[in-house]
Amino acid sequence: RSTCWTLRQGAGTGPGQRATVTVPLSTGSERLRGINGGPQIPVGAIVNGVELLIEGQQSIAGNSLQYATLYSGGAPLINPLAFTLSEGVDGIVTVGSPTEQWNTTLTPAFINAADFGLIIYTDGTFAYTMSIDHAQIRIYYTPPLLLMSHFIY
C-alpha cells in the first residue's frame, strides 16, 4: 500500500507551491511523475548523461532516502538513484551527472519520447513528510557529426 501525494495547484511554479506526501512508517509513497514533453535532441546525437536538480525538503534529518528515476515510453527505468533532501528548509539536490546513464544506454529516442520525464518517491523506511517544489532535467549530449556535402577547391 502506498500513500498519495497532495498536489497544490501550480506546483513547481513559485515559492510555496509544491507536491507533498506524509509517509507513515513501512508505507512508501506513490510515485510523483513529472513530464518534460520530449526535449527533442537531434537524431544521431550521443546522450552522455542526465542530471536532475530537485528542490524540496523533508521533515526529519538525513536518515531517510528518496529515489528518482527517468520515465519514457510508458515505463520508468527499473534502477532508481537514491538522494536525501534537506531537513525543514528547501534545498536543491543533484541526482545523476553529466555522464550518468541511469543503468541503461540512453538514446535520443528515449529522451525525445512525448512522455519523457522523471519519477520521485520514497520507500517508507521512516515516517515523515516530503515536499518537492520543482525539478529540472539536464540532458548532456554530443551533437551528431555533420558532414559537408559540397567541397570548394
Side-chain angles (χ1 to χ4, degrees), residues 2 7 14 16-17 25 33 45 66 74 92 95 100 118 123 129-130 134 144-145:
S2 59
L7 299 176
Q17 302 300 318
L25 185 63
R33 185 172 145 210
Q66 293 81 43
I92 297 175
V95 183
E100 177 61 60
L118 61 92
D123 64 5
T129 299
M130 174 173 67
H134 71 272
L145 180 63

Side-chain angles (χ1 to χ4, degrees), residues 38-48 106-112 139-142 144:
Q40 301 304 311
I41 65 170
V43 173
I46 298 169
V47 180
N48 301 317
L106 297 173
T107 65
F110 183 91
I111 302 295
N112 292 342
I139 301 158
Y140 297 88
Y141 68 93
T142 303

